[in-house]
Amino acid sequence: MILDSKSPIGPLAEKWTKHKFNSKLVNPANKRKYEVIVVGTGLAGASAAASLAELGYKVKAFCFQDSPRRAHSIAAQGGINAAKNYQNDGDSVYRLFYDTIKGGDYRSRESNVYRLAEVSVNIIDQCVAQGVPFAREYGGLLANRSFGGAQVSRTFYARGQTGQQLLLGAYSALSRQVANGKVKLYPRTEMMDVVTIDGHARGIVTRNLITGKIETHAAHAVLLCTGGYGNVFFLSTNAMGSNVTAAWRAHKKGAYFANPCYTQIHPTCIPVSGDHQSKLTLMSESLRNDGRVWVPKTVELAQKLRKGEIKPRDIKDEDRDYYLERKYPSFGNLVPRDVASRNAKDVCDEGRGVNETGQAVFLDFRDAINRDSEDAIRARYGNLFDMYQQITGENPYQTPMKIYPAVHYTMGGLWVDYNLSTTVPGLYSLGEANFSDHGANRLGASALMQGLADGYFVVPYTIGDYLAQIGPAPVDTNHPEFAKAEKGVKDAIQKLLSINGTKTVDHFHKALGHIMWEYCGMARNAEGLTKAKGMIQELRKEFWRDVKVLGANEELNQTLEKASRVADFLELGELMVDDALNRSESCGGHFRLESQTPDGEALRDDENFAYAAAWEFMAENSPETLHKEPLVFENVKLTQRSYK
């Protein structure tokens, strides 16, 4: 298959407007004849379901949580980007577009990124109208702060709870449509497979997580809004339930998976404290507006810190290395996440880490408190400071926070074209579940922007073009393909239950996470990736031979849920390694040790790797086939990324 991005021709600033005009429309009276399934009810899913129902479509929305309010979007803290230029500091749609392209290390599609920047301004108006309580200046105007990879203040925020407040706005819109009978909501229901008929997506197979009942649902189109796959690493900032299953099952039904090796390591997370942990906690990037990142200048001082012989406050300024400010004077502590994370790893690898394990750096607010007062800092970040103190037992107003990079976001995902359609007609992917906008590294505060852009302002236009072409002929679950897919799901569940091995699901998940973090984490090389591939293959064989899944299907069975998800992670992990092996350049969050500049920065190979890698599933236990979508840059010049 030749990958057609369907990017419109013409000037960049006119592409989206012309594309909307050239797309076919569905008559308002005919919209009620179409059914659409939305899987996932986070920001992308809730906004898409609400918008499509408002337009008149019949919508079914599915989530595995007990309420859409528990979607992982709620965990986003720092803010949402938009090119409003309220600060009059030189921002514009084009600058947001450029910063996003550059931040992604020139590995994203120009047309999609420009559209994202273009509709960002509408998102803020939409959310304010919904009542989202964005922070405001003294005079009542919306406030902004800065995030990494930008030299302007374009991030709108609601204290340290921006994701939660935006999700409540989308949830209110969704609830209105549920009350109107336009959306039927299925909570505690997990998608287990996609049903395709004649190559088109026509429904899904689900499992009720309370009763275990397997059901099928038919529709004219299916939207996957199921988030990212960071939990392949076991320890991440993702919610425990976050998984790749919906996207992976779609992949095995024909949807190409793009750039799986592009994973984001967030530089400001609470460090790992022991083997007992099941997840990690994010400390918002917004903290780097006022917090200064540093480690001692010498290994000897760091050793004294780790032994408890001295306190952070005992170290004089001349003995501190504010390494981001030293190396990147133009951006300082607000460099992009991949840059900040690699530098934190480097200073810790030198032996200058500041906690007992040597895997932490300081994020210090002493100077900001002296400059602006403790009350001012408390007003900006109070809930984040409280959360840190509750978890660590240390008061960040009095002593620096200890932070270290952790898996946070995945830029890879299902390949989609300009319409957000996967390679399976009728199957769309929105938000973090797709690959489209962030290249090899996402800028902070852009995940919320993409999720809401896709749901509120993109897919309501693009899905109409597809539906108008296929017509409103009813789709029902009596087609043989539904029974076939349902049987496949039941057989897979029975296979897991029948193994009756000796090792827990978490044993295999932790083992996989360790392999991924060690060999496909912040730094990668051919030798380590080759080793990891063999280790994952052996681990997967052991899983299917010796995993113990307790209970039965016809009940609430969280072990079975986990086992099904970990089985998919084991397959995804191998594809991530294959993708990282294939891409022998460094770019953004994908850092190959063999490809770096003399001063240790990511070194791209534009001649050989200026493409999106889209992988096609062929058969079980068979290598996947690589397809390449060339990335053409007509408006941005490809240069070595620099934040110095």
Side-chain angles (χ1 to χ4, degrees), residues 203-427:
I204 61 174
V205 182
T206 63
R207 179 176 181 269
N208 184 305
L209 298 183
I210 304 297
T211 66
K213 185 178 181 181
I214 307 298
E215 296 180 307
T216 56
H217 300 268
H220 294 89
V222 177
L223 277 57
L224 298 185
C225 315
T226 50
Y229 50 88
N231 276 347
V232 69
F233 290 88
F234 186 70
L235 285 180
S236 79
T237 65
N238 288 186
M240 288 289 290
S242 297
N243 63 81
V244 76
T245 290
W248 192 252
R249 303 291 168 88
H251 173 54
K252 295 174 83 167
K253 282 296 181 74
Y256 291 5
F257 209 102
N259 302 333
C261 76
Y262 288 169
T263 53
Q264 178 163 91
I265 315 294
H266 197 294
T268 53
C269 301
I270 296 178
V272 175
S273 60
D275 291 338
H276 62 281
Q277 283 182 276
S278 55
K279 77 177 300 294
L280 299 174
T281 304
L282 172 72
M283 286 284 105
S284 169
E285 182 170 317
S286 62
L287 294 170
R288 287 195 276 145
N289 275 272
D290 290 300
R292 300 179 69 191
V293 180
W294 66 276
V295 292
K297 282 186 176 178
T298 65
V299 174
E300 291 74 23
L301 276 175
Q303 288 174 339
K304 288 183 177 181
L305 265 176
R306 293 199 290 270
K307 292 175 182 176
E309 295 174 4
I310 58 174
K311 302 289 186 186
R313 293 289 185 244
D314 298 331
I315 301 178
K316 299 175 183 177
D317 271 11
E318 56 264 31
D319 294 325
R320 300 180 177 193
D321 181 11
Y322 294 95
Y323 56 89
L324 292 178
E325 298 174 25
R326 170 174 57 83
K327 294 179 68 174
Y328 308 97
S330 293
F331 283 76
N333 294 297
L334 286 172
V335 292
R337 292 173 176 177
D338 61 314
V339 177
S341 294
R342 277 196 295 274
N343 277 273
K345 181 181 185 297
D346 289 345
V347 296
C348 289
D349 288 349
E350 292 168 6
R352 294 193 284 154
V354 299
N355 68 347
E356 293 82 357
T357 65
Q359 300 292 301
V361 300
F362 285 132
L363 182 63
D364 197 342
F365 293 85
R366 180 199 64 181
D367 294 344
I369 290 172
N370 291 339
R371 181 186 68 235
D372 296 336
S373 81
E374 184 175 316
D375 287 343
I377 298 302
R378 192 182 302 276
R380 291 174 200 159
Y381 313 114
N383 66 309
L384 299 173
F385 277 48
D386 291 345
M387 183 165 63
Y388 180 86
Q389 185 167 0
Q390 289 171 13
I391 292 172
T392 66
E394 297 179 351
N395 184 345
Y397 296 102
Q398 298 173 2
T399 189
M401 288 183 177
K402 296 187 185 84
I403 57 166
Y404 194 70
V407 174
H408 177 60
Y409 187 90
T410 51
M411 285 75 65
L414 294 177
W415 184 91
V416 293
D417 62 18
Y418 192 70
N419 294 320
L420 303 184
S421 173
T422 69
T423 48
V424 177
L427 181 66

Side-chain angles (χ1 to χ4, degrees), residues 460-473:
Y461 288 98
T462 61
I463 197 172
D465 184 68
Y466 170 75
L467 294 176
Q469 294 180 58
I470 66 167

Side-chain angles (χ1 to χ4, degrees), residues 133-159:
F134 286 123
R136 294 179 181 268
E137 305 286 3
Y138 179 77
L141 299 177
L142 293 176
N144 294 109
R145 57 189 177 198
S146 299
F147 259 61
Q151 292 181 305
V152 297
S153 294
R154 63 162 68 102
T155 305
F156 295 79
Y157 62 97
R159 213 175 182 192

Side-chain angles (χ1 to χ4, degrees), residues 28-91:
N30 287 336
K31 287 190 172 85
R32 65 178 67 96
K33 300 176 183 178
Y34 290 92
E35 293 190 46
V36 178
I37 284 173
V38 178
V39 184
T41 53
L43 284 181
S47 59
S51 300
L52 293 172
E54 183 76 38
L55 286 170
Y57 297 108
K58 291 189 286 187
V59 178
K60 290 181 179 180
F62 298 81
C63 64
F64 62 72
Q65 301 91 348
D66 58 354
S67 165
R69 289 175 298 170
R70 294 189 186 275
H72 186 59
S73 302
I74 204 171
Q77 298 169 354
I80 176 171
N81 288 329
K84 286 285 198 181
N85 195 32
Y86 282 170
Q87 303 303 316
N88 198 28
D89 56 359
D91 201 11

Side-chain angles (χ1 to χ4, degrees), residues 427-444:
L427 181 66
Y428 293 77
S429 183
L430 284 64
E432 191 180 354
N434 74 33
F435 90 110
S436 67
D437 294 339
H438 306 296
N441 174 66
R442 177 176 67 76
L443 291 184

